[in-house]
Amino acid sequence: MLEEIAHKRTEKVPDSKGFFGSFGGSFIPPELQKQMDEINFGYTRLSKSHDFIQELRSIRKHFQGRPTPLYYCKNLSEKIGGGRIYLKREDLNHTGAHKLNHCMGEALLAKYLGKKKLIAETGAGQHGVALATAAAYFGLECEIHMGAVDIAKEHPNVTRMKILGAKVVPVTHGLQTLKEAVDSAFEAYLKDPINSIYCIGSVVGPHPFPKMVREFQRVVGIEAREQFLEMIGELPDHVVACVGGGSNAMGIFSAFLEDKDVQLHGVEPMGKGAKLGEHAASLSYGHEGIMHGFNSIMLKDEKGEPAPVYSIASGLDYPSVGPEHAYLNSIGRTTVGTAGDDETLHAFFQLSRREGIIPALESAHAVAYGIKLARENPNASILINLSGRGDKDIDFVMEKYGEYADRDDY
């Protein structure tokens, strides 16, 4: 029943053309549009298929380890002396992040469509690991495109992808991060769209991917809403999630969209400051524009092209945002917050020291903002989507920011 209710909340958008209000759509070459139409037709048909649904449910339960738990951060909440902080523990999903939720769905779709190869981009490496895992599970080829900068930062995840049998393609042009990885993966997909499928890693890209990834991710929100009601007897006052492209945020937000008393907060990376190139806060500083086949809010340079972006978290350094996030923000349903590098690193160590949970740097942005909310709202309950664990980040953090480990203010 809860799954049906959550579906009704999200089925209103997008429309048949993939638009969430004025955002979304599909702005791609005709030959690629034919492939998107095939994927959309296949997904729409299969999403109503008993066999497809039952296989996906079985995978989630017996392979992924779902449902993931809801956890009350007693120590952290008492330390802050403010609101009560709860975590949806997607870091305990198999492979260590929420990404496997849509990767197993996309790979299962590829199997039903008769595809032989999965192609994707990755930033922090979690999407790449998840897709490589899905490819191994279904016996498919896998090719992951990753910026050279991110390969150096996220070496443990690169190793995991290779162990799982994926081909990792270094991207060495431009800023060598997530945007360039998307460009490279799209180019590779265009060479053989008949036998391969491009498995986008977030709620971005041309229709139907923003809708499709959201639908695979809404299991997070369905579980969290039910678990919170069971644990507390009421809904949370605030739901918080980090936003780069925004898949983990749409996953958890989707179950609370019609609960008007629940405030939804998407947290963007403020990085080093407000200057262009120092952050990746698209909704906070961007303007409407088309990139990677969809219309949304994006950061632009003086020529109107996608601007250079930065985030300490590789999975968040993207110059645009999912079109549904742009739409929800435009109608006032979501609030956009930010967390800078220093706040994020402090939250990274604070959660580690107080609760024994090392978060991914992406998720630490949401934790940092959740801590601020708790201090400002001492009687509130705050649910944070802990979208991933920090195993992938520990070497990078200690090498570049080891001085934070010696601080005693956690």
Side-chain angles (χ1 to χ4, degrees), residues 60 63-69 89-102 126 130 160 217 219-220 386-387 389:
R60 286 174 172 171
F63 182 67
Q64 293 184 227
R66 304 205 67 90
T68 58
R89 296 289 308 275
E90 287 302 288
D91 60 313
L92 297 180
N93 191 33
H94 180 46
T95 74
H98 70 290
K99 295 291 187 180
L100 196 62
N101 300 330
H102 67 256
Q126 287 299 136
R160 292 169 76 191
Q217 285 293 345
V219 65
V220 179
L386 197 73
S387 55
R389 63 175 179 244

Side-chain angles (χ1 to χ4, degrees), residues 270-288:
M270 199 60 207
K272 300 173 183 176
K275 287 178 59 179
L276 200 63
E278 292 185 342
H279 63 83
S282 306
L283 288 171
S284 301
Y285 294 93
H287 304 278
E288 189 168 348

Side-chain angles (χ1 to χ4, degrees), residues 160-183:
R160 292 169 76 191
M161 285 183 262
K162 291 179 178 179
I163 289 172
L164 289 162
K167 177 184 178 183
V168 179
V169 179
V171 180
T172 57
H173 64 275
L175 293 177
Q176 304 177 42
T177 55
L178 184 55
K179 176 192 173 294
E180 289 75 24
V182 175
D183 294 338

Side-chain angles (χ1 to χ4, degrees), residues 229-374:
L229 283 169
E230 182 181 356
M231 181 182 287
I232 313 302
E234 60 185 24
L235 294 176
D237 297 307
H238 303 271
V239 176
V240 181
C242 64
V243 174
S247 57
N248 92 91
M250 275 317 309
I252 198 165
F253 288 173
S254 63
F256 298 94
L257 288 175
E258 292 192 1
D259 300 308
K260 300 306 181 185
D261 292 334
V262 179
Q263 296 184 48
L264 308 178
H265 306 265
V267 185
E268 297 190 306
M270 199 60 207
K272 300 173 183 176
K275 287 178 59 179
L276 200 63
E278 292 185 342
H279 63 83
S282 306
L283 288 171
S284 301
Y285 294 93
H287 304 278
E288 189 168 348
I290 296 172
M291 185 181 78
H292 291 150
F294 69 104
N295 182 53
S296 188
I297 300 298
M298 60 183 281
L299 294 166
K300 300 180 181 181
D301 62 18
E302 64 279 358
K303 296 180 180 179
E305 297 296 320
V309 291
Y310 160 80
S311 172
I312 194 173
S314 296
L316 300 181
D317 57 357
Y318 188 64
S320 188
V321 67
E324 190 164 7
H325 284 294
Y327 167 71
L328 291 172
N329 183 242
S330 73
I331 63 173
R333 182 60 189 96
T334 57
T335 298
V336 179
T338 61
D341 283 0
D342 184 71
E343 296 170 296
T344 298
L345 286 162
H346 194 273
F348 176 91
F349 280 100
Q350 197 164 11
L351 186 62
S352 300
R353 299 285 172 84
R354 292 291 164 180
E355 299 292 346
I357 300 171
I358 303 175
L361 283 172
E362 290 77 13
S363 313
H365 285 74
V367 175
Y369 188 80
I371 289 172
K372 286 191 287 188
L373 274 180

Side-chain angles (χ1 to χ4, degrees), residues 135-211:
Y137 182 93
F138 288 107
L140 300 170
E141 294 179 56
C142 185
E143 182 175 300
I144 305 296
H145 295 246
M146 190 172 188
V149 170
D150 294 333
I151 286 176
K153 284 173 66 177
E154 307 291 357
H155 180 70
N157 272 349
V158 176
T159 301
R160 292 169 76 191
M161 285 183 262
K162 291 179 178 179
I163 289 172
L164 289 162
K167 177 184 178 183
V168 179
V169 179
V171 180
T172 57
H173 64 275
L175 293 177
Q176 304 177 42
T177 55
L178 184 55
K179 176 192 173 294
E180 289 75 24
V182 175
D183 294 338
S184 179
F186 255 122
E187 290 172 8
Y189 170 60
L190 284 171
K191 292 176 182 177
D192 186 14
I194 303 299
N195 295 304
S196 62
I197 184 171
Y198 182 26
C199 298
I200 290 178
S202 193
V203 285
V204 298
H207 179 63
F209 282 100
K211 175 186 76 172

